[in-house]
């Protein structure tokens, strides 16, 4: 009977996994806007409406102009006679009245259509912008908003895209210059509130900024909103001139540098563009850069509301661009001050024949540009923006990108110093401030959880096998609060998707804003990382995980409701030992797939039922999600935590560093022959030798209750009976799990002298950095040569990878190959791992699972540490700019 039920459970899990990998992936809408492919010429072709549905956001228009202005927009026209019934082409143009008729007497201007990425580049939760098409009438009222593309994982499968469409429709009929915020409005302060999307707060706050800032930029440009007139700068008289290094050091000259790899091109010893720039109106800057005579000549030609800046540049690309050749427009650079943008034509250009400041670098091209606007002020910060088209190495397509560098004159060059500027706060900071009360409560909850577990020894001492209230009540309170407060209210549910994001951020680009955008998940992960190194994965998985808590409560409640006789508390150990590896396989598959396609990995990550349970709600999902969720919950009623034990990829990811936990559970020397704890272990983490597998242990603490229970622990029970029969007193139980001896035992011999610190460091370095022992020299000479050659090659591949000279796929392949090789070598030469704190020398024989966890995580830490050291010391920058390495790439 046991064999039949085990086979059934194995088949059930296999079917469940295959169902989740295929059915859940198929549930995604293939026609949605998630990572939707956009036309290659979308950012460059003057005819914007040939590529996007302009009619959708400006329904009353008959025709649209080409792109115009900086930032770019298109004008929307309607026939004056009201005849709007003519057939339209699929690209949004009128079949009869295309662009040729725009601006004629029979048409009237009714509004403007613009693409968000032509104006702003505000990243959302994914780190990528939400590409949005926006329509606005001639009064600045939004007529339509359509999301063309986004990369938000929560809107892939977690939340229907219809919610994003519903959110952006709230802007219809609203003025782009109004104060609009996500959340409750404040009418008394003129603030309009918008309904957010539950579980996607960061996304909607970012989209709110995208729509309003894009609309405001165009509205100011076309005259709907009066431009902001800033007080003009009054310069102090500073005697003398500065050399180039001094100008750069005090910020009078700034540098904007873009490498070729940032543009999707192969690494080059020359940057893509390297621009130095500065404000020539400031006397000390102008005289130092131009010299006295040239500076005075320039200032005499400028009108009161005109400003001169200089640019010198080198690199493989020009800042002038092709627009200069076609129409005298410098379309590669512009100046932005707040929401105002200033572009340059040939009439705004003057030759810069040389730099007077000593020590100036060599350059390939130069220019003086004149900003002709009373709204620009040198007293306030402004940005030089370089615009370009980035090549996508995978698709070959191009995307519009911009790079900006802020410039603000030093305070001592301005009368009265710099004016006070209130810059818009970052999105993540807004989220933290709006939820400060919940953040404090969540921190208290984390503190309470850590404190309760830290006091576990006192709790288990007060408990017995028959009465576990002291241990169970705090745990039940944490489970209930985790489900209700953390899961359903705060939506703070850690996921494997965040682990995948970490890997990609480490390899590609680390952005703190991405992780700070959700305060509760951010704080939860800090706690999880610390607790995993303290106690292993069991603190989170067993006590605090919202879904794990729900599954555990379902199991216990089902038993109380009469299903206890049908419940299978444990599987046969041999089947459990096989099934537990499924979750590690799931984690490995997700990690590998994420480097091929993060979108596909996000879909496969729906094997986690977390989004369905807490973020979205079962009632909001399609049938594959509902079925999958229902099957798991029903299984949880009959088996104790089947998902946590056998399927959870997050649990597998946390299990790997659990090998390094500092404090384990207490054991006795009799725990091997005695199986009392093993029989009752709900995690089935205790083997026949009595050792606890920290990767599988969920820290239920039942074994620790037995550890001090003189009626349930066989060694203690025998000692209690012997003393009672002999009439000897029952002394308290010590921390070692035994009765304190009646007669004090003689002091133990003095411990051996501890190693000196240099000796300890040397031994640790040798143990962790070198997998070989002297046994390696007993191998054939060819094998020894291959071993050391492989070591050198792997090290060199890592250095080239850190320098950005080879792709992450090659790095990961070598990292995996080296880890497998090192694991095999260590099992032959150093078949042991540490047990307990990393500063100790308590070594134990390693199983293959122990060694795999140790090697994988150790190599990850070493790689990260070396990368940070090389980055901090400048070695990385040196390698990246070393042309002599090109032949190795």
């Amino acid at each position: 009977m046991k064999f039949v039920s085990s086979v059934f459970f194995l088949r059930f899990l296999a079917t469940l996994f295959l169902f989740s990998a295929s059915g859940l992936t198929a549930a995604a809408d293939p026609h949605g806007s998630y990572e939707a492919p956009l036309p290659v010429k979308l950012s460059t072709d003057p005819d914007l409406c040939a590529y996007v549905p302009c009619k959708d956001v400006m329904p009353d228009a008959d025709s649209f102009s080409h792109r115009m202005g900086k930032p770019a927009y298109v004008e929307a026209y309607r026939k004056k006679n009201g005849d709007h019934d003519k057939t339209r082409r699929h690209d949004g143009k009128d079949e009869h009245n295309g662009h040729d008729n725009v601006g004629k007497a029979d048409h009237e201007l009714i509004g403007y259509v613009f693409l968000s990425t032509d104006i702003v580049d505000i990243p959302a939760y994914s780190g990528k912008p939400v590409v949005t098409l926006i329509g606005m009438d001639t009064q600045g009222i939004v007529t339509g908003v359509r999301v063309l593309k986004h990369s938000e994982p929560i809107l892939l499968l977690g939340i229907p895209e219809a919610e994003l469409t519903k959110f952006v429709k709230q802007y219809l009929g609203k003025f782009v210059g109004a104060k609009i915020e996500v959340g409750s409005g404040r009418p008394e302060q003129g603030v309009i509130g918008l309904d957010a999307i539950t579980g996607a707060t960061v996304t909607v706050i970012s989209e709110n900024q995208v729509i309003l800032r894009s609309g405001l930029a165009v509205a100011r440009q076309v005259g709907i909103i009066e431009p902001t007139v800033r007080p003009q700068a009054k310069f102090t008289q500073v005697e003398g001139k500065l050399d180039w290094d001094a100008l750069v050091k005090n910020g009078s000259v700034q540098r904007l540098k873009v490498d070729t790899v940032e543009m999707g091109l192969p690494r080059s010893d020359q940057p893509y563009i390297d621009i130095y720039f500065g404000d020539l109106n400031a006397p000390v800057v102008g005289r130092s850069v131009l010299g006295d005579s040239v500076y005075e000549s320039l200032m005499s030609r400028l009108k009161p509301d005109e400003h001169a800046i200089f640019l010198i540049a080198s690199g493989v690309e020009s800042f002038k661009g092709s627009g200069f050749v076609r129409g005298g427009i410098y379309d590669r650079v512009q100046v932005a001050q707040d929401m105002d943008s200033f572009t340059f034509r040939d009439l705004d250009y003057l030759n810069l024949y040389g730099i007077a400041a000593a020590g100036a670098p060599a350059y390939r091209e130069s220019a003086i540009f004149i900003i002709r606007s009373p709204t620009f002020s040198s007293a306030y910060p402004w940005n030089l923006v370089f615009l370009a088209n980035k090549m996508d190495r995978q698709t070959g397509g191009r995307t519009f990108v911009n790079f900006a560098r802020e410039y603000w004159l030093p305070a001592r060059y301005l009368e009265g110093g710099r004016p006070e500027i209130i810059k818009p706060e970052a999105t993540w900071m807004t989220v933290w401030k709006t939820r400060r009360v919940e953040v404090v409560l969540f921190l208290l909850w984390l503190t309470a959880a850590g404190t309760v577990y830290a006091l576990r020894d006192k709790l288990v001492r007060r408990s017995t096998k028959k009465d576990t209230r002291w241990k169970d009540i705090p745990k039940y309170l944490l489970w209930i609060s985790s489900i209700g407060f953390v899961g359903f209210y705060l939506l703070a549910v850690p996921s494997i998707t965040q682990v995948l994001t970490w890997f990609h951020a480490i390899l590609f680009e680390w952005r703190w804003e991405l992780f700070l955008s959700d305060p509760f998940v951010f704080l939860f992960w800090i706690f999880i990382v610390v607790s995993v190194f303290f106690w292993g994965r069991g603190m989170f998985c067993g006590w605090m995980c919202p879904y794990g808590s729900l599954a555990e409560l379902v199991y216990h409640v089902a038993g109380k409701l009469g299903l206890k006789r049908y419940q299978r508390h444990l599987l046969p150990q041999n089947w459990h030992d096989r099934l537990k590896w499924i979750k590690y396989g799931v984690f490995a598959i997700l990690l590998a797939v994420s480097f091929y396609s993060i979108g596909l990995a996000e879909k496969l990550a729906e094997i986690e039922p977390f989004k369905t349970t807490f973020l979205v709600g079962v009632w909001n999902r399609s049938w594959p999600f509902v079925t999958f969720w229902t099957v798991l919950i029903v299984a949880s009623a009959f088996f104790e935590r089947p998902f946590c034990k056998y399927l959870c990829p997050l649990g597998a990811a946390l299990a790997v560093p659990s090998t390094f936990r500092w404090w384990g559970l207490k054991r006795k020397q009799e725990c091997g022959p005695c199986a009392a704890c093993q029989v009752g272990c709900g995690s089935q983490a205790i083997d026949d030798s009595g050792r606890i597998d920290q990767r599988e242990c969920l820290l239920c603490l039942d074994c620790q209750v037995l550890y001090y229970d003189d009626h349930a622990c066989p060694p203690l029970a025998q000692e209690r009976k012997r003393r009672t029969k002999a009439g000897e007193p029952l002394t308290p139980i010590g921390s070692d799990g035994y009765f304190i001896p009646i007669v004090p035992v003689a002091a133990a011999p003095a411990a051996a002298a501890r190693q000196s610190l240099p000796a300890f460091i040397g031994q640790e370095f040798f143990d962790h950095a070198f997998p070989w022992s002297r046994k390696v020299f007993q191998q054939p000479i060819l094998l020894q040569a291959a071993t050391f050659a492989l070591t050198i090659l792997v090290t060199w591949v890592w250095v080239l990878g850190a320098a950005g000279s080879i792709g992450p796929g090659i790095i990961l392949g070598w990292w995996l190959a080296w880890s497998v090789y090192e694991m095999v070598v260590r099992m032959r030469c150093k078949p042991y791992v540490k047990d307990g704190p990393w500063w100790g020398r308590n070594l134990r024989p390693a199983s293959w699972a122990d060694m795999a966890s140790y090697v994988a995580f150790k190599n990850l830490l070493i790689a990260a540490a070396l990368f940070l050291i090389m980055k901090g010391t400048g070695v990385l920058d040196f390698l990246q700019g070393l042309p002599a390495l090109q032949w190795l790439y």
Side-chain angles (χ1 to χ4, degrees):
M1 183 64 184
K2 287 185 178 180
F3 176 77
V4 173
S5 62
S6 301
V7 172
F8 168 76
F9 189 67
L10 178 62
R11 291 177 177 174
F12 163 75
L13 283 177
T15 304
L16 194 62
F17 177 64
L18 292 175
F19 173 80
S20 64
S22 57
L24 295 181
T25 302
D29 181 9
H31 305 294
S33 57
Y34 178 81
E35 292 291 1
L38 297 178
V40 175
K41 295 184 178 180
L42 177 61
S43 300
T44 57
D45 198 301
D47 190 1
L48 172 67
C49 295
Y51 300 96
V52 293
C54 293
K55 181 75 173 175
D56 286 1
V57 297
M58 187 64 67
D60 294 335
D62 295 318
S63 54
F64 301 89
S65 73
H66 283 177
R67 275 187 172 105
M68 59 179 62
K70 285 289 184 177
Y73 62 91
V74 301
E75 294 181 337
Y77 289 88
R78 178 178 59 191
K79 279 195 170 232
K80 289 182 179 179
N81 60 15
D83 182 10
H84 310 305
D85 298 328
K86 294 185 178 182
T87 304
R88 295 184 56 82
R89 291 173 14 192
H90 70 279
D91 59 10
K93 300 176 187 176
D94 191 290
E95 184 68 27
H96 302 286
N97 296 317
H99 295 299
D100 293 339
N101 285 343
V102 172
K104 287 188 176 181
D106 59 343
H107 282 73
E108 62 177 338
L109 176 67
I110 63 170
Y112 312 91
V113 175
F114 39 94
L115 191 66
S116 64
T117 48
D118 282 347
I119 305 169
V120 296
D121 190 20
I122 300 174
Y125 184 77
S126 62
K128 300 179 182 178
V130 176
V131 183
T132 309
L133 188 68
I134 306 162
M136 176 183 70
D137 68 14
T138 55
Q139 303 301 313
I141 304 300
V142 178
T143 59
V145 180
R146 176 165 175 175
V147 175
L148 302 179
K149 177 181 179 179
H150 71 85
S151 304
E152 302 301 277
I154 189 64
L155 296 174
L156 168 62
L157 292 170
I159 297 174
E161 279 194 349
E163 291 296 315
L164 183 58
T165 303
K166 180 180 177 183
F167 171 79
V168 298
K169 283 184 176 179
Q170 297 179 90
Y171 291 90
L172 271 63
K174 292 182 172 59
F175 180 53
V176 294
K179 294 181 179 179
I180 302 176
E181 295 181 359
V182 176
S184 58
R186 300 187 299 278
E188 69 281 358
Q189 300 178 19
V191 177
I192 301 172
L194 298 178
D195 294 332
I197 300 177
T198 303
T201 306
V202 176
T203 301
V204 296
I205 289 178
S206 172
E207 181 67 350
N208 180 56
Q209 293 181 351
V210 165
I211 295 172
L212 294 183
R213 292 186 64 182
S214 299
L216 191 59
V218 174
R220 285 181 173 177
Q221 187 177 176
V222 300
I224 297 175
I225 297 176
E226 291 296 325
T228 302
V229 179
R230 303 172 184 86
Q232 292 300 307
K234 294 182 180 180
F235 303 108
T236 58
Q237 295 300 321
V238 179
E239 298 296 332
K241 299 176 185 178
L242 302 176
D243 62 17
W244 187 262
D245 289 340
L247 289 169
V248 172
K249 187 176 181 180
N250 70 14
S252 298
V253 172
Q254 292 290 344
R255 185 183 189 184
L256 173 59
K257 183 180 178 182
V258 180
D259 290 324
T260 53
V261 291
E262 297 180 82
M263 297 301 299
L265 301 174
R267 182 171 297 281
S268 170
D269 56 339
Q270 293 291 323
Y272 186 79
I273 192 76
D274 188 3
I275 305 174
Y276 287 95
F277 63 97
D279 188 336
L280 294 175
N281 281 46
V284 67
V285 181
R287 292 183 184 277
S288 299
V289 172
L290 302 178
D292 291 331
S293 60
V294 178
Y295 167 74
E296 291 171 1
S297 174
L298 174 64
M299 291 299 108
S300 66
R301 299 169 59 181
L302 296 183
K303 297 177 181 179
D305 59 352
E306 294 180 345
H307 311 266
I309 66 171
F310 82 93
L311 279 69
I312 61 172
S314 59
V316 299
E317 192 51 72
S318 166
F319 65 70
K320 295 180 179 180
S322 58
F324 169 72
V325 179
R326 293 195 306 266
I329 301 173
Y330 295 91
D331 58 359
R332 289 293 183 91
V333 289
Q334 65 183 32
V335 167
Q337 191 166 52
D338 195 15
M339 293 303 297
D340 297 325
S341 297
F342 308 94
T343 56
F344 307 107
R345 301 183 63 88
D346 51 0
L347 297 176
D348 305 319
Y349 168 85
L350 296 175
N351 287 319
L352 175 62
Y353 295 104
I355 301 295
Y363 54 89
R364 189 169 58 85
E365 58 182 351
S366 61
I368 295 175
F369 287 119
I370 309 301
I371 303 172
R372 308 180 193 276
S373 174
T375 64
F376 179 84
S377 173
S378 297
Y380 292 80
W382 52 272
N383 285 274
L384 180 72
V385 183
F386 176 76
L387 305 100
N389 289 301
K390 180 179 179 179
M391 173 73 74
D392 189 321
R393 291 188 178 183
Q394 292 184 341
T395 64
R398 293 183 177 273
T399 56
F400 181 80
V401 293
N402 62 72
F403 302 88
R405 177 74 175 184
E406 185 180 85
Y407 184 95
W408 199 355
L409 282 169
R412 67 191 186 95
Y413 296 161
L414 299 167
E415 288 188 4
R418 288 175 171 177
E420 184 178 355
I421 300 295
I422 301 177
K423 295 184 178 181
E425 62 185 8
T427 302
W428 68 266
M429 192 174 296
T430 302
V431 176
W432 281 69
K433 286 183 177 180
T434 55
R435 308 203 68 180
R436 59 174 65 91
V437 175
E438 290 98 327
V439 168
V440 172
L441 292 175
F442 185 63
L443 284 172
L444 292 175
W445 183 79
L446 293 176
T447 304
T451 302
V452 166
Y453 188 77
L455 298 175
R456 64 193 178 281
D457 202 61
K458 296 182 181 298
L459 298 177
V460 297
R461 278 180 175 272
R462 290 175 175 266
S463 303
T464 64
K465 184 178 181 181
K466 294 183 178 180
D467 182 8
T468 58
R469 288 176 298 173
W470 283 97
K471 171 183 71 73
D472 288 343
I473 290 177
K475 186 187 293 185
Y476 273 87
L477 290 176
L478 281 175
W479 285 348
I480 294 171
S481 59
S482 176
I483 297 169
F485 175 63
V486 179
F488 284 111
Y489 180 68
L490 296 181
L491 307 179
V493 185
S495 168
I496 189 62
T497 58
Q498 289 135 19
V499 177
L500 301 180
T501 302
W502 284 358
F503 273 99
H504 282 256
I506 291 172
L507 284 174
F508 300 108
E509 181 183 7
W510 184 274
R511 295 176 57 252
W512 278 108
E513 296 85 354
L514 179 62
F515 304 103
L516 288 167
S517 54
D518 190 325
F520 308 108
V521 172
F522 178 76
L523 293 173
F524 214 159
W525 270 109
I526 292 177
F527 182 90
I528 291 170
V529 170
V530 173
S531 64
V532 163
F533 279 99
F534 279 178
W535 305 303
R537 64 173 282 217
M539 179 64 208
F540 168 73
C541 294
W543 291 60
M544 304 174 72
C545 174
Y547 184 81
S549 302
L550 178 64
E552 190 76 48
L553 284 180
V554 166
Y555 179 80
H556 288 287
V557 171
K560 297 294 183 181
L561 295 179
L563 297 179
K564 196 169 187 65
R565 57 179 175 169
Y566 302 108
Q567 290 179 328
R568 185 60 184 262
H569 180 58
L570 301 175
L571 289 178
Q573 190 66 35
N574 59 335
W575 284 106
H576 168 80
D577 290 339
R578 296 167 183 166
L579 295 176
K580 70 181 181 182
W581 294 106
I582 295 178
K583 61 180 178 288
Y584 296 97
V586 174
F587 170 57
I589 291 172
L590 290 176
L591 184 60
V593 170
S594 71
F595 288 100
Y596 167 73
S597 168
I598 189 65
L600 179 58
E602 293 282 356
K603 294 177 183 179
L604 294 176
E606 283 290 340
I607 193 173
E608 291 180 331
F610 307 159
K611 290 180 184 177
T612 301
T613 307
F614 301 102
L615 303 182
V616 185
V618 183
W619 50 90
N620 293 325
R621 305 308 298 267
S622 55
W623 69 266
F625 298 97
V626 175
T627 305
F628 181 61
W629 184 87
T630 303
V631 169
L632 284 178
I633 287 296
V634 171
S636 297
F638 295 93
F639 299 92
E640 187 174 4
R641 293 200 182 205
F643 176 79
C644 304
K645 290 180 181 178
Y646 307 118
L647 287 178
C648 183
L650 178 59
L654 297 179
V656 173
S658 292
T659 303
F660 294 83
R661 88 288 176 251
W662 290 355
W663 296 293
L665 299 179
K666 295 180 177 181
R667 310 301 288 151
K668 301 175 183 176
Q669 59 184 8
E670 293 90 353
C671 289
C674 172
C677 295
Q678 183 184 18
V679 171
C681 179
S683 303
Q684 295 183 253
I686 304 177
D687 60 21
D688 293 338
S689 66
R691 175 180 163 270
I692 297 176
D693 185 351
Q694 294 290 338
R695 290 181 297 274
E696 300 300 320
C697 177
L698 298 182
L699 298 180
C700 66
L701 300 183
D702 286 345
C703 62
Q704 300 305 284
V705 172
L706 267 65
Y707 185 84
Y708 293 111
D709 190 345
D710 59 5
H711 286 76
C713 178
L716 282 179
Q718 292 176 5
E719 176 66 9
R720 177 184 55 80
K721 292 177 180 178
R722 187 193 67 78
R723 290 194 181 189
T724 301
K725 186 175 181 179
E728 297 176 350
L730 296 178
T731 56
I733 299 174
S735 60
D736 59 355
Y738 297 99
F739 287 105
I740 295 176
I742 299 174
V743 179
V745 180
R754 296 184 61 181
Q755 282 183 306
S756 65
L757 183 60
F760 172 78
I761 293 175
Q763 187 171 38
E764 291 293 300
F765 177 79
F766 179 78
D767 272 354
H768 296 308
F770 299 94
W772 313 280
S773 65
R774 291 183 177 86
K775 293 180 181 179
V776 72
F777 297 106
Q778 301 172 6
Q779 297 175 345
I781 190 66
L782 288 179
L783 191 57
Q784 293 183 41
T787 295
F788 293 113
L790 179 63
T791 305
I792 296 172
L793 184 58
V794 168
T795 304
W796 188 246
V797 166
W798 184 89
V799 170
L800 292 180
S805 302
I806 56 178
I810 299 177
I811 300 172
L812 288 172
W814 276 104
W815 179 79
L816 178 61
W818 171 258
S819 296
V820 172
Y821 167 78
E822 181 180 356
M823 183 174 64
V824 173
V825 170
R826 282 187 176 275
M827 289 301 289
R828 287 173 54 89
C829 298
K830 296 179 179 179
Y832 54 80
V833 292
K834 279 190 178 182
D835 194 22
W838 57 268
W839 58 81
R841 291 296 299 173
N842 185 19
L843 305 177
R844 60 174 172 80
S847 65
W848 282 100
D850 292 331
M851 192 60 72
S853 298
Y854 163 74
V855 168
F857 197 69
K858 184 261 301 182
N859 286 348
L860 180 63
L861 291 179
I862 290 177
L866 285 175
F867 177 84
L868 293 175
I869 292 172
M870 291 173 67
K871 185 71 174 176
T873 57
V875 174
L876 197 57
D877 294 332
F878 172 76
L879 290 173
Q880 290 176 343
L882 198 60
L885 299 182
Q886 295 295 324
W887 65 276
L888 282 170
Y889 299 165

